[in-house]
């Protein structure tokens, strides 16, 4: 298997709680992989570790074969591994377009020196970035909101903005934290289409999702987390028939 | 009367530098700096010492700017991650620390006696010395304003505003937030240093008691009076603060029922009141939806 993300022997404790417990799995390059599990299973903690916002107590995270555990969040992002947040973190007082134009790397105008130089180069760069941002907004269906302050978006639109910001950098692996939570059913169909398009463009997706219809329909492989440990991994149909998974979700005793 | 007005305007220019600096740090980037006076003092002393060592004025001004910026960099380096709560305390403490050093280290800067005979720039032909100084300082404030405006509008300004809004997001899109915050802090400190150099040159004499924490608070008030993050607002706010602090000195000729000490207290009360009124009005009109 050609893995883009490999997690091995990962542990992370918060006080008395073993949030991540000998966690081990990998994500195949080019796949849509689902990460499911009951509330408190450690899914978001795992995302925080992989994206560099938390350091693991022990264990390894590899992205494209390279160890990234313990790296700073911005360094992980620069490698081409980007994430969204479960609760949208839109930059409220900035326009939707500005939220995206923040993203492109290596902007000349993003240096103090550029301020005292002639601005032709920056203007050119801004034009190109604005065009790219509008294209991404088109893709997620937010093009009419480009100039609105991000604070004015609806809950579902903020989710789309999270996705758009992630897409703007053309990453190779995207971690999506509950992309459809709190989104109305019609918009969920659109969101799933967007995720399929993203996937078709060659981006690998790892998705935390509670909506089982979305997971079963979208993902080719599902990893089930319970109390920080992987209790099952397989195709949607395998997972649906897994006794241990049912127990974990229905609150049964350890199988 | 005109001479007095010119003096008020010169003070507005001097504090304009300091406030524009704070506006980059706090207004634009969200870094709370309660000790901006430290960099103002460092700029003033660096300028005074450099000119006494025989440096040309322009070189001394550049040196004052660089030294203040360097101290800004040191504060940024030693404040863990420049987190807002730490930063507020560290900067406040740092400013007192700097003042106490100038007060107690006599070999360095004359201790409580301060430094006298600091030179002024040559007078522009055809103008009196005061107006000439005003023109020179206004020209440089204009330059600092131009820089601040462009900074805010450029992609770098967008990144700094994004840090003010939500640092986590900026890190998640691959930008080293600590580096950006340090740069903003250094710029703000350097601008305060320029203000300090002009202050030293204008008064031709400086002493440690001129650099108490109240200066940091006046400048904070100026940035708050202008809309946070706006360079033009910051300069307008500075003018209001300078007028309230300096202009009300004139009142003692007209108001005879209170003595000088009482009037001094009243001036500060007037500033506080103006601050409250303006903030309340602003809050009403720009409450976010």
């Amino acid at each position: 298997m050609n893995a883009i993300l490999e997690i091995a022997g990962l542990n992370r404790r918060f006080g008395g709680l073993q949030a991540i417990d000998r966690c081990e799995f990998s994500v195949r390059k080019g796949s849509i992989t689902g990460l499911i599990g009951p509330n408190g299973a450690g899914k978001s903690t795992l995302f925080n570790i992989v994206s560099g916002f938390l350091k693991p107590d022990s264990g390894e995270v590899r992205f494209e074969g390279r160890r990234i555990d313990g790296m700073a969040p911005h360094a992980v992002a620069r490698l081409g591994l980007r994430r969204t947040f479960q609760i949208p973190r839109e930059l409220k007082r900035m326009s939707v377009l500005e939220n995206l134009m923040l993203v492109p790397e290596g902007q000349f105008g993003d240096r103090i020196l550029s301020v005292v130089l002639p601005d032709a180069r920056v203007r050119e760069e801004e034009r190109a970035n604005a065009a790219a941002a509008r294209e991404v907004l088109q893709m997620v269906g937010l093009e009419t909101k480009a100039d609105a302050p991000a604070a004015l978006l609806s809950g579902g639109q903020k989710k789309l903005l999270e996705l758009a910001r992630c897409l703007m950098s053309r990453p190779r692996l995207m971690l999506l934290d509950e992309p459809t939570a709190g989104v109305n059913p019609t918009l969920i169909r659109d969101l799933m289409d967007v995720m399929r398009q993203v996937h078709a463009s060659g981006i690998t997706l790892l998705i935390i999702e509670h909506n089982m219809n979305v997971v079963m329909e979208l993902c080719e492989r599902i990893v089930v987390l319970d109390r920080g440990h992987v209790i099952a991994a397989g195709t949607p149909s395998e997972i649906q028939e897994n006794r241990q998974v049912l127990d974990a979700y229905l609150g049964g005793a350890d199988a | 009367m005109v001479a007095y007005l010119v003096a008020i305007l010169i003070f507005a220019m001097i504090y304009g530098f300091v406030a524009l600096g704070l506006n980059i740090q706090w207004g634009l980037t969200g870094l709370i700096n309660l000790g901006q006076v430290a960099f103002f003092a460092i700029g003033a002393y660096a300028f005074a010492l450099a000119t006494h060592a025989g440096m040309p004025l322009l070189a001394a001004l550049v040196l004052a700017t660089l030294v203040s910026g360097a101290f800004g960099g040191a504060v940024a380096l030693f404040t863990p991650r420049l987190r807002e709560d730490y930063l507020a305390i560290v900067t406040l403490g740092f400013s007192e620390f700097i003042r106490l050093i100038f007060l107690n280290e006599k070999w360095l800067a004359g201790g409580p006696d301060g430094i006298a005979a600091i030179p002024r720039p040559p007078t522009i032909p055809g103008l009196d010395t005061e107006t000439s100084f005003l023109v020179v300082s206004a020209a440089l404030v204009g330059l600092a304003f131009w820089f601040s405006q462009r900074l805010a509008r450029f992609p770098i300004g967008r990144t700094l505003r994004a840090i003010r809004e939500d640092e986590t997001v900026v890190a998640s899109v691959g930008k080293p937030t600590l580096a950006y915050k340090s740069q903003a802090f250094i710029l703000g400190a350097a601008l305060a240093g320029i203000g300090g150099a002009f202050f030293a040159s204008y008064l031709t004499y400086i002493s440690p008691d001129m650099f108490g924490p109240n200066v940091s608070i006046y400048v904070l008030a100026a940035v708050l009076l202008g809309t946070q993050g706006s360079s033009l607002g910051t300069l307008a706010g500075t003018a209001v603060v300078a007028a309230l602090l300096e202009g009300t000195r004139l009142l003692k000729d007209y108001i005879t029922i209170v003595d000088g000490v009482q009037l001094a207290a009243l001036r500060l009360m007037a500033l506080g009141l103006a601050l409250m009124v303006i903030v309340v009005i602003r809050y009403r009109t720009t409450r976010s939806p």
Side-chain angles (χ1 to χ4, degrees):
Chain A
M1 188 179 83
N2 188 1
I4 191 167
L5 183 73
E6 297 157 277
I7 290 165
L10 205 65
N11 287 291
R12 169 73 202 212
R13 175 180 283 278
F14 294 114
L17 176 77
Q18 190 72 40
I20 300 293
D21 184 15
R22 291 160 295 147
C23 184
E24 200 134 358
F25 69 91
S26 57
V27 174
R28 193 179 63 79
K29 190 171 167 58
S31 69
I32 302 184
T33 302
L35 182 63
I36 65 170
N39 287 325
K43 305 182 294 293
S44 287
T45 302
L46 189 69
F47 266 27
N48 283 337
I49 293 175
V50 171
S51 56
F53 285 95
L54 273 178
K55 299 203 186 321
D57 296 330
S58 62
E60 285 184 14
V61 180
R62 283 177 190 275
F63 174 62
E64 297 182 326
R66 173 178 189 171
R67 270 193 76 166
I68 58 166
D69 49 274
M71 274 172 74
H74 74 266
V76 174
R78 282 188 170 180
L79 292 176
L81 192 170
R82 302 273 168 136
R83 65 167 300 175
T84 65
F85 295 95
Q86 185 182 351
I87 297 161
R89 302 186 79 131
E90 75 287 354
L91 305 167
K92 293 189 174 59
R93 285 190 284 177
M94 296 168 70
S95 75
V96 168
L97 197 67
E98 278 187 301
N99 265 264
L100 296 194
M101 289 178 67
L102 172 74
V103 176
E105 274 174 55
Q107 297 183 44
F108 176 69
D110 204 8
R111 292 182 202 119
I112 287 174
L113 186 66
S114 70
V115 175
V116 293
L117 296 176
D119 48 11
R121 185 169 165 191
V122 173
R123 250 184 300 181
E124 185 52 44
E125 187 182 74
E126 286 285 276
R127 249 197 301 276
N129 286 338
R134 284 184 195 280
E135 221 169 277
V136 172
L137 287 178
Q138 185 97 42
M139 188 169 173
V140 300
L142 279 180
E143 66 274 16
T144 57
K145 300 284 177 188
D147 298 314
L152 295 185
L153 296 181
S154 71
Q157 289 168 334
K158 285 176 183 171
K159 286 278 188 187
L160 289 170
L161 180 58
E162 279 284 318
L163 193 63
R165 191 164 56 209
C166 205
L167 271 174
M168 184 73 193
S169 69
R170 304 289 315 153
R172 291 191 296 285
L173 174 61
M174 277 170 64
L175 310 183
L176 305 180
D177 198 343
E178 298 197 22
T180 71
V183 176
N184 76 56
T186 12
L187 203 53
I188 287 184
R189 300 307 316 175
D190 296 346
L191 244 157
M192 286 174 71
D193 283 341
V194 172
M195 287 192 268
R196 282 202 189 88
Q197 270 183 60
V198 170
H199 176 240
S201 75
I203 298 173
T204 308
L205 298 176
L206 178 62
I207 307 176
I208 292 180
E209 188 52 67
H210 280 299
N211 184 329
M212 282 307 139
N213 294 329
V214 173
V215 179
M216 296 300 162
E217 207 182 311
L218 216 55
C219 301
E220 59 174 68
R221 193 158 167 278
I222 295 170
V223 175
V224 188
L225 212 59
D226 184 32
R227 296 176 212 175
H229 193 67
V230 175
I231 57 168
T235 61
S237 51
E238 284 167 4
I239 294 300
Q240 274 170 316
E241 286 155 16
N242 187 305
R243 184 72 218 160
Q244 246 186 318
V245 175
L246 289 176
D247 282 344
Y249 267 93
L250 299 176
D254 287 1
Chain B
M1 183 65 198
V2 171
Y4 196 68
L5 213 61
V6 169
I8 291 176
L9 280 174
I10 290 174
F11 275 112
M13 295 304 150
I14 289 169
Y15 289 115
F17 288 113
V18 191
L20 283 173
L22 184 66
N23 188 50
I24 291 175
Q25 297 169 336
W26 180 54
L28 204 58
T29 321
L31 301 169
I32 300 175
N33 175 1
L34 297 183
Q36 183 70 329
V37 68
F39 308 106
F40 182 58
I42 290 168
Y45 272 94
F47 181 82
L49 292 172
T51 50
H52 277 228
M55 248 191 187
L57 290 190
L58 201 58
L61 176 65
V62 171
L63 184 79
T65 313
L66 294 179
V67 171
S68 310
F71 272 92
V75 171
L77 197 67
F78 290 113
T79 310
R81 311 192 45 182
L82 289 182
R83 256 184 54 191
E84 53 189 41
D85 37 2
Y86 295 136
L87 193 61
I89 292 300
V90 168
T91 49
L92 187 62
F94 178 70
S95 69
E96 276 298 277
F97 167 73
I98 287 296
R99 189 177 64 82
L100 289 173
I101 284 184
F102 287 135
L103 184 64
N104 293 302
E105 302 299 317
K106 265 192 119 107
W107 59 271
L108 178 68
D113 300 337
I115 302 177
I118 304 164
R120 278 201 182 181
T123 305
I124 300 170
L127 294 177
D128 64 273
T129 54
E130 296 285 301
T131 314
S132 166
F133 194 92
L134 178 60
V135 169
V136 172
S137 51
L140 244 83
V141 166
L143 205 61
F145 173 72
W146 172 83
F147 178 83
S148 303
Q149 284 285 74
R150 273 170 76 91
L151 184 77
R153 285 175 189 163
F154 268 49
I156 172 92
R158 183 169 58 218
T159 304
L160 297 180
R161 275 182 290 136
I163 287 174
R164 180 187 70 191
E165 297 274 304
D166 190 341
E167 212 178 303
T168 302
V169 168
V170 180
S172 83
V173 303
K175 298 191 191 254
T177 52
L178 193 58
Y180 282 100
K181 287 195 290 182
S182 304
Q183 288 175 41
F185 198 79
I186 290 169
L187 273 184
L191 276 173
I194 299 179
F198 272 88
F199 181 73
S201 177
Y202 179 60
L203 294 182
T204 69
Y205 166 74
I206 51 171
S207 67
D209 61 308
M210 296 169 171
F211 302 103
N214 53 333
V215 177
S216 299
I217 303 307
Y218 294 153
V219 176
L220 203 67
V223 177
L224 198 66
L225 283 173
T227 311
Q228 189 194 5
S230 148
S231 307
L232 196 61
T234 296
L235 285 186
T238 311
V240 170
V241 171
L244 278 172
L245 284 176
E246 297 297 327
T248 44
R249 280 186 213 276
L250 286 178
L251 288 178
K252 75 171 184 298
D253 298 336
Y254 302 101
I255 302 175
T256 46
I257 49 167
V258 292
D259 63 32
V261 176
Q262 287 170 321
L263 197 65
L266 279 174
R267 283 164 50 216
L268 294 184
M269 285 168 66
L271 179 63
L273 189 68
L275 207 59
M276 283 195 282
V277 168
I278 290 175
V279 167
V280 166
I281 292 171
R282 162 107 26 72
Y283 179 72
R284 287 223 179 106
T285 51
T286 64
R287 191 178 302 184
S288 56

